[in-house]
Amino acid sequence: MEGLLSLFDTALLNSIPRFVAPILLAALGGALCQRVGVFNIALEGLMLTGAFAAVAGSFFTGSAGLGVLIAVLAGVLVASVLALFVVGFRGDEIVVGIAINLLAAGLTVFLLRALLGVKGAFQDPALQGLSRMNLPVVERLPVVGALLSGHSWIVYLAIVLTVAIHLFLSRHRVGLHIRGVGENPEAALTLGVPVMKVKTGVILVSGALCGLAGAQLSLGSVTLFVENMSAGRGWMAVVAVMLGQGHPLGVLAASVLFGFTDSLGFRLQGLRLPSQLTEAMPYLVTLLALFLIGMRRRRQESF
Amino acid sequence: MSLRLPAAIRNSPLLAIGGAILLGAALMLLTGHNPLAAYAAMLEGAFGGRQGANLAATLNRAVPIVGMGLATAVAFRAGLINLGGEGQLVLGGVSAAVVALFLPLPGPIVLLLAIVAGALAGGLYAWLAAWLDFRLGMPLLIASLLLNYPARALASYLVNHPLRDVASGMSQTARIPLQAALPKLGDSRLHAGLILVLGLILAAQWFIARTRFGYRLRMTGINPLFSCYGGIDTRALGYRVLFSSGAIAGTIGAVQILGVHGRFIDGSLIQPLYAWIGIMVALLARSRPWVVLVAGFLFAALQTGGFGMERATDVPREISQVLQALIILLVAAQAGLGLRRPGKAVEGS
């Protein structure tokens, strides 16, 4: 027991929000899309785009902040392709999503070589990462300080955005429009809600959120870009949207679970466990969560 | 859209392919490359070479791509989205390697059993995804996709630890005995896996088009509720279809190990993205088996062409993957725009 508890040291606590934030940001984007009736499975590709654009942007401008901005713009750009093909051309959202994921995977490697001239990974002393912010007062607190202090601003923004999106969806007029579009597009259209515009706008916002998620991966947690850096986190975000049923706070809970197992897996790598097990752990936990929910639903239905 | 092209051209996949080639050329121009030289090198890389060496490479690459395309297409035809091809492929490969390495029987029998083991492993793994969906309500798309990761991890663990050929210094198993390998076709660089995949395509085409099971499969794909109402046990059908889909993927894994690599090498079935390219092939072919053959050959040519292009020019080979994704995007747009015609305006849920 003592050995198990010793895992929960400062380093682990501190790493949790770093792992949660990218999944959470992408999942918030996915949740918004789900609310307007768009099943966005391109989160993985959008996040990967953001991770690359952040590094390329930071390298060429010399500023991590501008890198994040470029990541957001790149996310929006790729999301606009998604919106064009799904909303404009009425392409199947799953087919388009799969294509966008593969497009992003190919394009980031292509541009890694065409723009930065390297294969595999890009790391440069001149590359500016995001600085860690130490919260006054909070950083002195035991446990909470290690957990909450010393992260990039994107991590704090992710928390703020979760609350903001929750309030926006439940209180704001446009938020109600968004929900209306998802629940009954015909009725929304009759009431004068511009359904196509709302859908397009929400997809673009999800692109921006995924851009932020990618920037956190490549400039926040570390300061480098590796091929296929998102490594399935966008898919975990898709599952988080599903588990949270598109509700921002539910999505937060699911993202915390996945991010926590992600960081725990990372922590366990130091303990001579096979790396394959620790790398697969977040996915096994995800499957287990879905399994338990499925079992519970079955039991409830049998009453 | 005010495109006034005749429907035959407007809906032709050739239009999507042409569009993707133009967009790819634009991308190359933007990054300071010469698209004409790149595409010429790509053609040479896919079909040229001394004594048709590159064409042979394309055909060899077409084996897993067509195979994974077929695996996906079989499930798509029944309306089932199996994104777990990668895990099924990897488990098929590693199972075949284990049988080929450790079964002390005559070569041809070992070969046969290794392929069967691969098919079983892939089929059962896809069956598990089906179970998670039908029994527990976990969407198949998510369940099958998530199962890829544990399969990859398991295979990687096996070849890095218990099955590792330590002497080679690499993450791979020992070489399988030569008698258990798939034979080459005559003096060529091709192997018997090519014939096997052609056989699978023919069998699937016949099965889907001509048998009662195939009819039910198609009906379920078109309208599952109606099929259920019409007396088809869509769940039982789903299990069988997914088992078949996974078994094809597992067979392809076995074929790659027994015909190409001669051992299981960590990542060798994942890194070339066979499963994902197979999904795109199935989409391009709209899940018709014999079209999968053509589309799979095309995508294989794009890949080997990409390697040739990278050797001859300085254009990164990933442009192949970009082109493939663009083709699928444009095909999706064609299908979507086709829905807009009056009377067909209703989207499929």
Side-chain angles (χ1 to χ4, degrees):
Chain A
M1 199 60 211
E2 192 135 312
L4 201 62
L5 274 178
S6 73
L7 279 177
F8 290 82
D9 56 5
T10 321
L12 174 74
L13 288 174
N14 193 252
S15 76
I16 293 171
R18 282 210 305 272
F19 281 101
V20 171
I23 300 175
L24 173 61
L25 284 164
L28 285 174
L32 283 170
C33 286
Q34 199 201 46
R35 283 302 183 84
V36 292
V38 173
F39 185 29
N40 186 350
I41 61 164
L43 300 178
E44 175 82 9
L46 292 169
M47 195 194 281
L48 184 59
T49 306
F52 173 77
V55 161
S58 170
F59 182 68
F60 287 120
T61 63
S63 149
L66 284 176
V68 176
L69 181 69
I70 290 169
V72 169
L73 292 177
V76 171
L77 183 71
V78 177
S80 68
V81 177
L82 177 68
L84 178 69
F85 279 80
V86 170
V87 182
F89 299 156
R90 293 197 179 195
D92 184 281
E93 55 203 8
I94 292 172
V95 175
V96 174
I98 291 173
I100 296 243
N101 284 334
L102 289 161
L103 183 68
L107 210 52
T108 48
V109 179
F110 177 84
L111 293 174
L112 182 64
R113 296 182 56 196
L115 296 181
L116 298 170
V118 292
K119 246 179 147 158
F122 179 79
Q123 198 170 13
D124 194 285
L127 184 62
Q128 293 293 321
L130 291 165
S131 52
R132 310 253 157 103
M133 294 165 65
N134 287 320
L135 303 181
V137 187
V138 177
E139 68 174 318
R140 305 250 176 90
L141 299 172
V143 184
V144 182
L147 192 66
L148 290 183
S149 185
H151 299 294
S152 74
W153 57 265
I154 296 183
V155 172
Y156 302 113
L157 182 64
I159 301 167
V160 173
L161 281 174
T162 308
V163 179
I165 290 175
H166 168 60
L167 292 176
F168 172 73
L169 281 175
S170 57
R171 303 281 159 81
H172 198 276
R173 195 169 54 89
V174 179
L176 294 175
H177 282 178
I178 286 177
R179 284 160 57 193
V181 166
E183 279 159 27
N184 193 337
E186 285 83 15
L189 200 61
T190 322
L191 290 173
V193 177
V195 171
M196 302 265 275
K197 272 191 194 153
V198 169
K199 278 193 177 181
T200 306
V202 163
I203 293 176
L204 296 186
V205 168
S206 82
L209 288 166
C210 288
L212 273 177
Q216 167 62 22
L217 280 182
S218 64
L219 293 180
S221 301
V222 288
T223 311
L224 63 116
F225 178 81
V226 190
E227 280 179 20
N228 191 24
M229 189 169 198
S230 44
R233 289 192 180 82
W235 287 108
M236 289 212 251
V238 172
V239 180
V241 174
M242 223 178 76
L243 288 182
Q245 297 178 340
H247 193 286
L249 301 181
V251 162
L252 172 68
S255 303
V256 167
L257 173 69
F258 297 154
F260 171 68
T261 35
D262 223 356
S263 58
L264 192 63
F266 192 70
R267 176 75 178 80
L268 287 171
Q269 269 176 25
L271 296 179
R272 292 170 59 195
L273 280 171
S275 64
Q276 290 85 9
L277 177 69
T278 54
E279 276 161 26
M281 216 166 72
Y283 303 97
L284 290 170
V285 169
T286 310
L287 277 162
L288 187 70
L290 287 168
F291 179 81
L292 292 175
I293 286 170
M295 290 302 269
R296 220 185 79 194
R297 195 182 307 140
R298 267 181 70 78
R299 264 208 308 278
Q300 282 169 349
E301 275 167 12
S302 65
F303 278 116
Chain B
M1 292 296 274
S2 55
L3 275 176
R4 287 277 171 261
L5 292 167
I9 298 177
R10 207 173 46 208
N11 296 329
S12 164
L14 292 178
L15 187 65
I17 294 166
I21 289 174
L22 285 180
L23 286 170
L27 177 65
M28 285 191 249
L29 282 173
L30 278 175
T31 49
H33 301 290
N34 177 352
L36 286 178
Y39 283 136
M42 201 180 243
L43 277 175
E44 167 70 16
F47 306 113
R50 252 189 321 155
Q51 295 162 340
N54 295 355
L55 179 61
T58 297
L59 284 170
N60 275 338
R61 189 161 276 257
V63 168
I65 290 178
V66 169
M68 293 310 292
L70 183 67
T72 317
V74 165
F76 275 178
R77 270 313 266 278
L80 299 166
I81 302 175
N82 176 12
L83 296 189
E86 192 169 271
Q88 295 144 22
L89 175 79
V90 167
L91 287 189
V94 88
S95 309
V98 168
V99 169
L101 281 171
F102 298 112
L103 208 63
L105 289 171
I109 298 175
V110 172
L111 173 62
L112 190 68
L113 289 177
I115 293 176
V116 170
L120 265 180
L124 287 174
Y125 207 53
W127 190 94
L128 176 63
W131 182 80
L132 290 173
D133 181 355
F134 300 151
R135 199 66 189 269
L136 297 180
M138 202 184 287
L140 181 65
L141 180 140
I142 299 286
S144 60
L145 180 103
L146 286 175
L147 284 172
N148 284 337
Y149 295 94
R152 280 160 67 153
L154 176 66
S156 175
Y157 173 77
L158 289 175
V159 295
N160 274 298
H161 297 284
L163 298 177
R164 180 170 178 182
D165 178 22
V166 181
S168 74
M170 314 263 278
S171 301
Q172 55 188 22
T173 65
R175 264 200 161 277
I176 59 167
L178 212 56
Q179 304 91 316
L182 273 170
K184 297 270 171 214
L185 297 180
D187 292 335
S188 70
R189 294 159 198 255
L190 307 174
H191 59 87
L194 189 66
I195 309 289
L196 186 69
V197 164
L198 285 174
L200 284 174
I201 290 277
L202 282 174
Q205 177 72 36
W206 174 79
F207 217 66
I208 291 175
R210 300 275 168 195
T211 65
R212 195 185 303 175
F213 180 73
Y215 171 76
R216 289 179 177 159
L217 183 151
R218 278 181 286 138
M219 286 305 116
T220 307
I222 293 166
N223 191 337
L225 282 177
F226 177 78
S227 305
C228 201
Y229 182 70
I232 298 175
D233 185 347
T234 48
R235 233 171 231 207
L237 182 119
Y239 278 118
R240 286 168 69 184
V241 169
L242 278 167
F243 181 86
S244 316
S245 169
I248 296 171
T251 305
I252 298 304
V255 162
Q256 286 302 102
I257 300 311
L258 303 166
V260 181
H261 305 300
R263 53 169 36 135
F264 190 94
I265 308 169
D266 198 10
S268 65
L269 297 175
I270 297 164
Q271 227 248 321
L273 294 176
Y274 293 136
W276 289 100
I277 294 170
I279 290 169
M280 294 203 282
V281 162
L283 290 169
L284 177 60
R286 300 203 180 128
S287 302
R288 287 161 298 179
W290 67 270
V291 192
V292 165
L293 191 63
V294 181
F297 179 73
L298 172 75
F299 275 24
L302 272 174
Q303 293 249 291
T304 45
F307 286 109
M309 182 191 66
E310 189 174 78
R311 284 191 300 269
T313 67
D314 56 349
V315 182
R317 65 165 188 270
E318 282 72 24
I319 195 83
S320 304
Q321 195 184 335
V322 172
L323 287 174
Q324 290 168 343
L326 288 173
I327 291 173
I328 297 309
L329 273 179
L330 294 174
V331 166
Q334 285 177 316
L337 290 172
L339 284 176
R340 271 198 179 170
R341 274 168 300 167
K344 283 197 175 180
V346 184
E347 276 178 288
S349 76

